[in-house]
Amino acid sequence: MLQRILALIHKEFLALLKDPKSRIVLIVPPLIQLLVFGYAATFDLKQVPYAVYNEDRGLAARELLAHFDGSPSFHRIATLRSEGQVASLVDARRAMVVIHIGPTFSADLQLGRPAPVQVIIDGRNSNTAMIALNDVRSIINRFNDAQIEAGGLRGPPARLHMRAWFNPNLESRWFFIPGIIGMLTLVVTMLVTALTVAREREQGTFDQLLVTPLRPGEILVGKCVPGLVIGIVQATVILLVATLWFEVPFLGSLAAFYAGLCLFLLSAVGIGLLVSALSATQQQGLLGAFLFMVPAVILSGFATPIANMPRAVQLFTYLDPLRYFLVILRKTFLEGAGFAILADQFWPMALISLATMLAASWLFRHRMY
């Protein structure tokens, strides 16, 4: 029995390592993923863009702002003149944090009274918002310690009042669950389509399919539809669970959501068919699918902000359809977005799906020779 087991182990090693391409697949993807994870998967915040709305010209207000300006965690991008400028700045994602100092801040400190400081923070990404808020608290605490030491006060002279937009309670569930719709539909759609052509090649039935009257374009459509239908059904079920069970609010346009979903699924199906057309066996198709999916999730902004990644890595994210679909998901769920706001996210996915499907259609016939 032991001999048969050893013989089987030997055969499996031969099947994995005999083909030079399989050896490359076993070695190169882990190295690439290690580099991607090392650079992209970080929760550290650097140079958080913030704006200041300071109504107090006193010394204490200037000292507090000097603490923010001197911190490596923050980068001031605007000094506001009125409260009306705050909304447009946060809506456009130009500023993640707005520091508002009232007109009596310095006077209150001199009189020994509590001096409130308002911090308005973009809560659409609750994890990033919580990290930024902790950095703000650290700076306020350092300022308090300096004021206590200089003035001989008994308690903290400044108090922090926080208000998070789009996600008032900073529920991390509201941030992650919409993203899971994109991640799960990507995984299932890729696995369904990445094996379809490879399976037929492995069984020898794809040669027979090519000599039928069906043209490559017709074969492409026939291969796309099952993955598209499965993805739409799965996304609908997850959407219902997210809104009815987890009570994540869906404030945007349902039509815009499904339009983005269809374009995203066409992109995933195109990439899956391209991987399948390049694979000679199901094993290669499966490995090719995972080679794409893991970096696609990491580079999409699902868990870590794309803005924190190095510039060279950020350029790769433009080739990732999940990056655009996550924006659509979060904007339709939390911001109430419609077609007009999401138009910039639709056309890149349409281009990706068109390019990958044309390449897959061409490879259906030419990969045979």
Side-chain angles (χ1 to χ4, degrees):
M1 184 179 68
L2 181 61
Q3 190 175 4
R4 292 197 300 272
I5 294 174
L6 291 175
L8 180 61
I9 293 173
H10 184 238
K11 189 269 293 181
E12 293 297 327
F13 271 115
L14 285 178
L16 283 172
L17 302 176
K18 186 177 180 180
D19 184 4
K21 292 180 180 177
S22 296
R23 290 200 293 269
I24 293 174
V25 168
L26 288 174
I27 296 171
V28 176
L31 292 176
I32 294 175
Q33 290 171 16
L34 175 64
L35 292 174
V36 171
F37 294 160
Y39 281 109
T42 174
F43 285 101
D44 294 334
L45 286 182
K46 295 177 182 177
Q47 299 291 306
V48 174
Y50 80 102
V52 171
Y53 176 41
N54 181 17
E55 297 181 280
D56 182 16
R57 302 304 175 193
L59 178 61
R62 293 198 299 271
E63 287 180 352
L64 176 60
L65 293 177
H67 281 71
F68 281 94
D69 291 336
S71 170
S73 300
F74 294 91
H75 171 64
R76 188 192 293 200
I77 55 100
T79 301
L80 308 182
R81 302 297 178 192
S82 68
E83 192 173 358
Q85 296 177 285
V86 174
S88 59
L89 208 62
V90 177
D91 283 346
R93 294 180 183 270
R94 289 184 56 204
M96 184 173 180
V97 176
V98 177
I99 308 293
H100 177 203
I101 299 177
T104 61
F105 178 80
S106 298
D108 290 339
L109 285 181
Q110 288 181 347
L111 296 173
R113 297 195 298 243
V117 176
Q118 185 184 39
V119 177
I120 299 170
I121 191 164
D122 185 346
R124 283 171 282 196
N125 185 335
S126 57
N127 275 355
T128 305
M130 289 297 292
I131 296 171
L133 183 60
N134 287 334
D135 290 341
V136 171
R137 282 199 180 102
S138 298
I139 292 175
I140 294 290
N141 288 337
R142 286 200 298 270
F143 173 79
N144 285 339
D145 293 339
Q147 291 292 315
I148 290 171
E149 185 178 354
L153 301 175
R154 295 181 179 178
R159 291 187 303 169
L160 185 64
H161 293 267
M162 185 197 69
R163 187 177 61 178
W165 288 5
F166 306 109
N167 187 353
N169 297 320
L170 294 179
E171 292 276 351
S172 59
R173 183 177 292 171
W174 290 18
F175 173 72
F176 278 108
I177 287 181
I180 289 174
I181 296 177
M183 192 176 69
L184 292 183
T185 51
L186 174 68
V187 171
V188 173
T189 306
M190 283 288 295
L191 290 179
V192 167
T193 54
L195 299 180
T196 177
V197 178
R199 184 189 307 113
E200 293 211 37
R201 277 212 174 96
E202 202 171 46
Q203 296 172 349
T205 57
F206 196 67
D207 297 354
Q208 300 171 8
L209 188 64
L210 289 176
V211 296
T212 63
L214 287 169
R215 289 176 293 182
E218 295 169 336
I219 297 174
L220 181 72
V221 173
K223 298 286 184 186
C224 285
V225 170
L228 193 62
V229 171
I230 291 172
I232 291 175
V233 171
Q234 185 191 43
T236 303
V237 172
I238 300 174
L239 174 66
L240 291 174
V241 173
T243 53
L244 299 179
W245 182 260
F246 292 105
E247 298 181 344
V248 180
F250 187 90
L251 306 175
S253 164
L254 202 60
F257 167 79
Y258 275 104
L261 174 64
C262 290
L263 288 173
F264 171 66
L265 289 175
L266 286 174
S267 305
V269 167
I271 295 169
L273 289 177
L274 185 59
V275 170
S276 194
L278 288 169
S279 306
T281 64
Q282 294 185 67
Q283 190 178 33
Q284 289 181 6
L286 192 63
L287 288 173
F290 277 102
L291 173 63
F292 172 80
M293 284 190 293
V294 176
V297 172
I298 294 297
L299 297 176
S300 65
F302 173 76
T304 56
I306 294 175
N308 281 5
M309 302 176 190
R311 182 60 184 165
V313 178
Q314 290 185 33
L315 295 177
F316 282 105
T317 65
Y318 291 112
L319 301 175
D320 183 3
L322 187 57
R323 166 200 170 117
Y324 307 103
F325 189 49
L326 283 184
V327 175
I328 293 173
L329 286 169
R330 286 165 181 160
K331 281 183 177 288
T332 51
F333 265 86
L334 299 181
E335 300 180 32
F339 280 100
I341 296 176
L342 299 174
D344 291 343
Q345 311 301 324
F346 288 150
W347 66 265
M349 292 191 293
L351 288 180
I352 293 172
S353 61
L354 180 64
T356 52
M357 287 193 180
L358 288 176
S361 177
W362 185 86
L363 285 171
F364 279 171
R365 187 169 294 277
H366 294 80
R367 178 69 172 79
M368 299 297 297
Y369 304 103

